Amino acid sequence: MIKKIILPILLGSSIASASEVVFYSTQANPLKEADAMRNDVLINFDGEVKFLPQEAGPFFSRIEAESRAGSVTLGVLGALHGQFPQIQDSLDSIDDVLGSVPEIKSNKTMSELGKLGSQNQKYIPWMQATYIMAANKKALPYLPAGADVNALTYDELAVWAANLKEATGDAKLGFPAGEKGLMHRFLQGYLYPSFTHSVVTDFRGDDAKAMWAWFRDLWQDVNPRSTAYSLMQEPLLTEEVWVAFDHTARLKDAFDQRPDDFIAFPAPSAKAGRGFMPVIAGLAIPAGTPDRAASVELIKYLSQPEVQVKTLKATGFYPIANVELPADLPANVRIAGKAISMQANAADALPSMLPVGLGDMSGQFSKAYKDTFQQIVLRNADIDQILDRQAMVLKTIMVSANAPCWAPDKPSDGVCPVN
Amino acid sequence: MSNLNQDVSLEQEIQAADNKNKVWKWLFISSAAFMISWILFPIYLLIVSALSSAEVVNGWPKAFVPEFDMETLQFFMNYYGVLGALKNSLIAAVFTMVISIGLGTPAGYALARFEFRGKETFRMMILLTRAFPMPLLALPLAVIFINVGLDDTLFGLSLVHAALALPFAVLITSSLFLGIPVELEEAAWVLGCNRWQAFMKVVMPLALPGLTASAVFAFVISWNEVFAAAVLTINNQTLTAFLVQSLSSSPAEVKFAGGLILIMPAILFLFVVRKYLFSMWGIANR
C-alpha cells in the first residue's frame, strides 16, 4: 500500500508496470519518427513496450550508470554501429538471439559487424541507410555539358557548383559541416575512398594531398553557411542550397514535402572509384535487463520483414532482412531508394566499411578527419604540414585501439598502418 | 519693465527646460520600445511560425501574420506523453522552487545578518556547485540515485535542480536582507516580537518581491535543465528532457511549435508572479 500509493505521490512519480519493455534508442529521435515508431511500428507488438528516443550523451550516461549500479531498467537498446563500442561492456551477449532471427543472420557481412570485434554477438543489425546526393530540379540545367547526374564525377560536381554560383550569384552547393552535421562521414566514406582507395593507410599520400587541394578549391563555390548546417533537408527546403550531400534520413523531409521538386542521385566518383558508406543501426540487450525474454521477443518482432518495411516508412532506414519493397512507399523512399541502388550497383562502386574495432576511439577517429577538414579547407592551413600532424594523431588512435584495416584499405597484419 | 523682462526670460527658460524634457522623454520611450521589441519580437516570430503550416515556415518571404494553421501544434498535443511530461516539468520546477527557497532564504539571512568564521569562504563555495558541467556529474549522480532509490523520481531530479538553483537563491536573498535595515527588526523586538515573529511580520513582507525573483530563477533553472533530467528519469521525463533533444533533429515547423510549447508555461508563470517583481522594481502594484 505504502509503496504503491503513498511513495509515488510523495516522490511525484509513477512506477512503471513490470511487464513493460523500455526500448531506449538514439535512432528515430526526431519527433515525427518517434511518433511513427510508436503508432505504426510497435503498435502490433504482443506486449507492452515504451519507446524512448534519446540523444547520444544522456543515452550513454544512463546505460553506464545502470550497469555500474547493477540495477537495470532498460530492455532493448537501439543505436548506430559506431555508438555501441562505447557501451560494449554493458551489453549482454546475444548469440542465442541471432539464431532466432534467420532473416537477419543470413546477411553475413552485417551480422558479423554486430560482434564489435569480439567473440560474441553484441547487437543484432536492425536497419540500414547510407549517404547520397540531393538536388533541386532548378539546378539541373546548370550541369556541365555531357555530364550524367547519375554517374557524376567530382570534377563535374566542381564545374556544376561553379556554374550555379555564376548563374545565381550564390553558392548553391551545400555540405552538412555544422556542429551536428555528418561531414566526417563524407570525408571517410566518400572523398578519401574515391580519390585514394584508402581511408587510413594513405591518409597523407600524394593522392590525398591532391584531393585536399581540390576540395579547398571546390569550397570557394560551396555555400559558406555549410558550417552551420546539420540536416541538409532544411537548406534544401528553404532553397538556400540547391545541391547537397547528406544521410538519407536527413534528406527525407525534403523528398516527402516536395517530391516533385527534388531528385536524389549517387555520390560522385573520382579516379579510385565511387566511394560510399553504409550506416547500420542495431539492437542490443543490456546485461541484467529485468525481463530478457520480453526483450528478445521485441528484437524478433522488429526483425520480421513486414515490420522492417514499416520501420522503413517510419524512419527512412532500410531493412536488413531481404524483403520485397511494396509499392505504397512514401515519396522519400521512392526517390532515395533508386539513388541508393544506383550508388551500390554502379560499375565503379567502392563500398567503404564502417570503422571496425576502434572501440571507444571511434569519436576521436572522426574528430581527426573533421579537424583536418577544418584546418585545411576552412582555415587555409598548409596541407603537407596538417596532414603530417594529423597522420600522427591517426596513428596514435589506430595503435591504442589496436585496430586492423578495413575496406577499402588493404587488410593488414595487426594494426592498420598510416603511411 | 524689468519685471516683464524677467518674466520673458523665465518663460524662455521654462520653454527650454520643456524641450529638453521632451527630448529625454522621446529618448526614453524609444529606448523602452527598443528593449521591449528586443524581447517580444522573437517571441512574436515564434508564435507566427508555430501557427503556420510547414510550407509557409520553409517558404520565402517569411509571413508576419499567422495563418492559424493548427496542424503542427495539434501534432504536439496528440504526441504520446507530452501532457504527462508537461505535468512532470511543472512538478519538478515547483519542487525545485520550494527546496531552493526553503534552504536558500535562511542561508541568505545568515549571510546578511550574522558574522561567523568562514563566511567569505562559504559565499565562494556556494558558487562551486555551478563550476562542474552537468554531463560530468550526471553519471555518478545517476549511480548514487539508483542505489538510494531516488532514480527516476521527480523529487530526486528536483534535488539536483535545487543544487543548481541554490547559489542564486542564497546570493539574491542575502543581498536582499542586507538592503532591509536591521533597525526595523530591532524596533520590532523592542515592541515585543521574538526573532521569528519579527522576521515574519517585518522583514518578510519587505523581502517578498526579491524572494519571488529568486523563486522565478529556480523555476526557470529547473524548467530549462536538460541533461540531468534526461539521464535521471526514464518513466517520468520532464518536458525539456522529452522534447528539446528530439526537437534539434526535427524539421523547422516542428521546432517552432515545440519552442512555443516550451516557453509558454514559463511565460504564464512570470505573468502570475509579475506583481511581486514589479513592486521590487518600484512600480506600483497593478
Side-chain angles (χ1 to χ4, degrees):
Chain A
M1 164 80 181
I2 287 185
K3 220 177 168 186
K4 275 218 161 125
I5 297 168
I6 312 272
L7 258 185
I9 294 173
L10 206 68
L11 299 179
S13 52
S14 57
I15 287 171
S17 54
S19 62
E20 196 177 58
V21 184
V22 179
F23 181 8
Y24 205 46
S25 165
T26 59
Q27 299 306 296
N29 194 5
L31 290 170
K32 291 207 165 158
E33 291 182 19
D35 199 45
M37 277 301 288
R38 291 185 185 112
N39 295 331
D40 304 331
V41 178
L42 295 169
I43 195 126
N44 291 327
F45 176 60
D46 184 24
E48 292 271 313
V49 53
K50 180 168 188 145
F51 181 66
L52 281 183
Q54 190 55 267
E55 194 91 331
F59 178 84
F60 293 138
S61 297
R62 178 77 206 178
I63 292 164
E64 214 176 320
E66 290 199 349
S67 134
R68 277 198 210 172
S71 153
V72 179
T73 56
L74 307 171
V76 171
L77 309 173
L80 292 178
H81 168 82
Q83 292 174 325
F84 278 118
Q86 197 161 340
I87 44 167
Q88 191 163 354
D89 297 338
S90 313
L91 300 179
D92 204 354
S93 291
I94 47 174
D95 302 81
D96 56 321
V97 187
L98 187 67
S100 57
V101 284
E103 50 279 74
I104 305 291
K105 196 181 178 184
S106 61
N107 194 333
K108 275 270 176 327
T109 18
M110 297 219 179
S111 48
E112 194 61 30
L113 281 174
K115 290 188 172 169
L116 296 173
S118 73
Q119 293 302 308
N120 299 88
Q121 197 72 28
K122 289 295 177 183
Y123 76 79
I124 305 288
W126 172 24
M127 51 189 193
Q128 58 175 323
T130 186
Y131 304 80
I132 50 169
M133 303 282 298
N136 193 311
K137 283 185 182 163
K138 285 185 204 165
L140 296 179
Y142 303 102
L143 268 170
D148 173 9
V149 74
N150 290 321
L152 214 57
T153 66
Y154 278 102
D155 286 331
E156 285 167 342
L157 179 73
V159 178
W160 193 11
N163 288 351
L164 284 169
K165 192 174 182 183
E166 203 184 293
T168 64
D170 288 321
K172 288 290 187 189
L173 173 64
F175 288 94
E179 197 194 343
K180 292 197 168 176
L182 298 170
M183 190 66 189
H184 48 288
R185 296 299 187 209
F186 177 70
L187 304 172
Q188 294 162 354
Y190 290 75
L191 215 49
Y192 257 104
S194 303
F195 280 84
T196 69
H197 208 289
S198 162
V199 186
V200 176
T201 311
D202 290 334
F203 181 79
R204 58 172 160 178
D206 289 339
D207 284 341
K209 284 174 186 162
M211 171 195 91
W212 282 111
W214 173 86
F215 197 42
R216 183 151 76 188
D217 282 345
L218 174 74
W219 206 258
Q220 304 302 318
D221 299 323
V222 169
N223 193 315
R225 287 247 303 131
S226 286
T227 49
Y229 296 147
S230 300
L231 288 76
M232 292 311 293
Q233 58 195 14
E234 286 168 23
L236 280 170
L237 280 168
T238 59
E239 305 204 350
E240 220 168 80
V241 153
W242 281 358
V243 182
F245 164 91
D246 211 341
H247 192 293
T248 45
R250 292 173 168 222
L251 295 167
K252 180 170 167 260
D253 278 348
F255 298 139
D256 277 342
Q257 284 184 25
R258 284 161 49 189
D260 298 331
D261 295 347
F262 293 109
I263 60 155
F265 57 97
S269 66
K271 66 176 190 184
R274 194 175 299 275
F276 71 96
M277 186 187 242
V279 177
I280 295 162
L283 299 165
I285 298 178
T289 188
D291 186 355
R292 193 174 189 276
S295 301
V296 173
E297 279 310 308
L298 181 59
I299 293 182
K300 277 201 232 165
Y301 172 78
L302 287 166
S303 305
Q304 291 169 14
E306 62 274 17
V307 181
Q308 294 241 306
V309 171
K310 282 188 194 161
T311 313
L312 164 64
K313 288 181 188 170
T315 62
F317 271 74
Y318 291 76
I320 300 273
N322 195 3
V323 278
E324 276 290 303
L325 292 181
D328 65 324
L329 287 165
N332 80 76
V333 180
R334 273 186 283 117
I335 296 170
K338 223 171 80 192
I340 293 172
S341 97
M342 271 193 288
Q343 183 169 278
N345 298 316
D348 52 357
L350 179 60
S352 182
M353 282 321 291
L354 288 160
V356 193
L358 284 180
D360 52 9
M361 304 297 278
S362 318
Q364 290 179 46
F365 179 73
S366 289
K367 188 170 179 295
Y369 288 84
K370 269 196 268 192
D371 287 349
T372 312
F373 162 73
Q374 259 170 15
Q375 290 297 332
I376 294 177
V377 177
L378 301 182
R379 303 235 170 98
N380 225 354
D382 182 58
I383 294 179
D384 290 7
Q385 201 188 334
I386 296 296
L387 285 184
D388 286 345
R389 197 178 77 197
Q390 291 299 108
M392 295 324 287
V393 175
L394 204 55
K395 203 172 206 164
T396 318
I397 294 172
M398 301 314 284
V399 169
S400 58
N402 199 14
C405 290
W406 61 85
D409 277 314
K410 290 183 198 72
S412 62
D413 301 324
V415 176
C416 191
V418 183
N419 290 338
Chain B
M1 187 70 185
S2 71
N3 257 350
L4 201 68
N5 266 346
Q6 257 180 357
D7 277 357
V8 170
S9 69
L10 196 68
E11 229 163 74
Q12 275 172 346
E13 246 172 63
I14 292 172
Q15 190 79 42
D18 243 21
N19 277 345
K20 211 173 158 190
N21 265 344
K22 249 185 208 157
V23 170
W24 277 114
K25 203 170 162 193
W26 274 110
L27 209 64
F28 175 76
I29 291 178
S30 52
S31 52
F34 174 74
M35 283 194 325
I36 291 171
S37 56
W38 184 271
I39 305 287
L40 287 188
F41 191 62
I43 297 181
Y44 173 72
L45 279 185
L46 184 69
I47 294 174
V48 170
S49 303
L51 291 175
S52 300
S53 58
E55 295 83 66
V56 176
V57 171
N58 288 317
W60 188 264
K62 300 288 179 209
F64 281 95
V65 188
E67 53 168 357
F68 294 104
D69 180 295
M70 303 304 259
E71 200 190 327
T72 338
L73 275 180
Q74 234 160 27
F75 165 74
F76 266 99
M77 283 304 139
N78 299 329
Y79 185 72
Y80 165 86
V82 158
L83 292 179
L86 184 68
K87 189 192 78 187
N88 289 339
S89 252
L90 284 174
I91 295 176
V94 169
F95 276 172
T96 306
M97 227 163 68
V98 172
I99 298 170
S100 64
I101 292 297
L103 293 177
T105 311
Y109 187 80
L111 274 180
R113 287 284 191 263
F114 302 117
E115 283 305 322
F116 52 90
R117 265 180 62 184
K119 184 169 153 180
E120 286 310 308
T121 326
F122 176 69
R123 206 193 280 273
M124 288 305 296
M125 290 289 282
I126 197 133
L127 279 172
L128 268 185
T129 53
R130 306 263 3 186
F132 303 100
M134 220 352 125
L136 209 69
L137 294 177
L139 176 60
L141 267 179
V143 174
I144 295 170
F145 274 30
I146 291 172
N147 285 334
V148 300
L150 276 175
D151 178 52
D152 202 6
T153 64
L154 293 175
F155 178 69
L157 182 61
S158 317
L159 285 180
V160 178
H161 288 172
L164 295 176
L166 259 176
F168 296 104
V170 174
L171 295 182
I172 291 177
T173 50
S174 91
S175 61
L176 194 67
F177 291 129
L178 273 178
I180 297 169
V182 71
E183 288 80 6
L184 287 179
E185 258 183 289
E186 286 168 354
W189 299 340
V190 169
L191 292 174
C193 284
N194 62 25
R195 247 207 136 102
W196 173 248
Q197 284 171 323
F199 178 77
M200 288 312 286
K201 291 196 170 152
V202 177
V203 179
M204 198 60 173
L206 289 170
L208 204 58
L211 288 183
T212 320
S214 71
V216 170
F217 233 98
F219 185 92
V220 171
I221 284 174
S222 165
W223 188 267
N224 285 344
E225 204 285 325
V226 180
F227 205 96
V231 175
L232 295 176
T233 56
I234 288 290
N235 287 307
N236 299 298
Q237 282 192 319
T238 61
L239 192 63
T240 32
F242 193 66
L243 283 187
V244 170
Q245 315 221 351
S246 304
L247 277 182
S248 66
S249 47
S250 293
E253 71 274 11
V254 180
K255 277 184 194 161
F256 283 119
L260 185 65
I261 289 177
L262 283 171
I263 64 165
M264 251 342 184
I267 289 181
L268 283 179
F269 176 75
L270 274 176
F271 204 69
V272 171
V273 300
R274 75 192 188 287
K275 195 169 94 179
Y276 304 100
L277 287 177
F278 281 155
S279 61
M280 179 174 74
W281 294 326
I283 306 169
N285 277 359
R286 46 195 82 182

